Amino acid sequence: MDFKHLFVCVAGCLAVTSYGKGGDAGKPKDWPVFSSVVYEGNDAVFTKNPLRKDEFYNPILQGCYPDPSICRRGDDYYLVCSSFAMFPGVPVFHSTDLVNWRQVGHALDRPSQLKVHDTGTSNGVYAPTIRYNPHNEMFYMITTQVSGGFGNMMVKTKNPEEGWSDPIKLHFNGIDPSIFFDDDGKAYIVHNDGPKKSLWKGHRVIKLWEYDVETDKLVPGTDKVIVDGGTKLDKHPFWIEAPHIYKKDGKYYLMCAEGGTGEYHSEVVFVSDKVDGPYVESPNNPILTQRYLNPMRENKIEHAGHSDVVEGKDGKWYGVFLGIRPNEKGHSLIGRETFILPVDWSGTFPVFENGLIPMEPKQKMPAGVENKQGEDGYLPCGNFSFTDDFAGKALDNRWVGIRCNPEDFVSFVQGGLRIEPFGADISEKKPLSALWLRQMHGNFSFGATVDYRPRSESDLAGIACMQNRNAQIVLGLTKKDGRTMITLVRRLKDKTEILGESEIVGKRPVRLQVEAQGEDFRFSYSTDGHVYHNVGGKVDGAFLSTTVAGGFVGNVVGLYATSGNNR
């Protein structure tokens, strides 16, 4: 580690110490040690649709990985997604065939790049775009960070797997920026912005700027509105956003999301002879949506949109986009995931193949590609399990913190992972000493063994489910009247309620577990690893869905500790 990175790490730890810790956390020997984490998903859609040799599952990234963006350099594809208040931020994935993906890190992995310590779970980092500039052999990731005073910003690197620069602030309003590199080496930034005068609810514009690659600055006075309102203006389209520019056969194409991120979500496209317009919309818009379909269809995928396309090595085009897999009650606890479809660009305008009819849970493999999902480090898809005994001395990339870096409170010890409790309770909008995985299935179980002896009622450690600070549930060990207790506590809106509790006798580690079948959640514990005792009965988990809790993120499950328990 060089001096620069050492300074960044020390500064980050000091920053977390000042705003994250508090209370009396005791000495390290008093801190909880977690081990034998097991997450297992078992959704009927995958059981009923087994893969043939030439098929793979869609989505390609299960869990809350929305707003995907993709680029290509030679034989390598890189993909990024929104991360909101998660730390590290903006996960980076790599593939050579568009089917098998490895996570190779995060674009924002240190405090100088990411300041989300005081923001809500659905705030933070929105809608990143990743692009490769062949003129300087540099990768760029541009995004909106609605926290920490960043606003619109960019980082860059020669190698997405070896870290990214400190942020370059971009001084313009609006959200969802994207960068485009033309054949002559010139660069342009395009983004969503507000109109000079709003003519209807959801009226937005798409604006273009010239960008100086040498100075990494916008060219003053070059901003221009290239789309005002969206498509079919007589119908008052709403929320034209997430713009990307592509060049094909000498023409410029502008592709955008439209209709908001809910049931009316869609993808639309425009064409122009010049990069700054005028842009003419496709007569066949939208080119991707699920909004017109029978709501009673099987294996529903909804809210499709916010796409990015890339030309494959086979000369065909492919598009990644977000969508949700709602449960039978129409709710989404998993959140918005990343899907992929081939794109037919044989005519003037691109069209997503099968993007306007009910999407299937399986896709045909591209020619010559072998499905290795879940093997050799590639992320699994379908029904799968994830186990972690923390023996590798480095966290799997799928673990994240909320509002702070996990490296600031975790340490690898004999027998597992130790978490240093912060003084913040999970209901506070503060950095949490908690390690999270995204919920990736409608039906899942998540369990961990915790070795912990709380000293007071302020101490608590266990497992948790959380959508936001007012939609969460915790199963943990704490003290009450001098006794060690297992307690199940739910926070719904502004109300905190103890759903069940049980005394624990002895000092051996305890196994904690949550099992969910759709919206039916059951929490239990075991002191011998064999016999499990339910706590709190059956809990309605609908409050953890985006439909009920609001916001943009899915439910996360994780390991949580605090020295500031206020339950």
Side-chain angles (χ1 to χ4, degrees), residues 86-88 106 397-402 404 406 434-438:
M86 296 178 182
F87 201 128
H106 293 81
N397 277 318
R398 285 168 283 187
W399 288 112
V400 294
I402 297 292
C404 63
L435 201 58
W436 303 100
L437 289 173
R438 295 160 171 90

Side-chain angles (χ1 to χ4, degrees), residues 147-167:
S147 61
F150 281 112
N152 291 295
M153 54 165 279
M154 182 188 298
V155 292
K156 58 184 183 178
T157 184
K158 289 284 188 178
N159 187 339
E161 303 181 34
E162 294 184 356
W164 296 71
S165 72
D166 276 347

Side-chain angles (χ1 to χ4, degrees), residues 108-121:
L108 307 178
D109 61 3
R110 56 188 188 272
S112 62
Q113 302 169 308
L114 184 61
K115 298 185 185 302
V116 290
H117 58 273
D118 59 356
T119 194
T121 54

Side-chain angles (χ1 to χ4, degrees), residues 32-36 389-391 393 411-418 449:
V33 175
F34 293 89
S35 60
S36 303
D389 59 8
F390 303 113
K393 307 306 178 186
S411 56
F412 293 89
V413 297
Q414 184 175 359
L417 188 80
R418 185 165 59 197
T449 298

Side-chain angles (χ1 to χ4, degrees), residues 10-11 46 48 109 111 134-135 163 175 231 259 325 468 519 528 535:
V10 171
F46 301 121
K48 294 177 181 179
D109 61 3
H135 303 284
I175 59 172
T231 65
R325 293 179 290 140
N468 64 50
E519 295 178 3
D528 61 8
V535 182

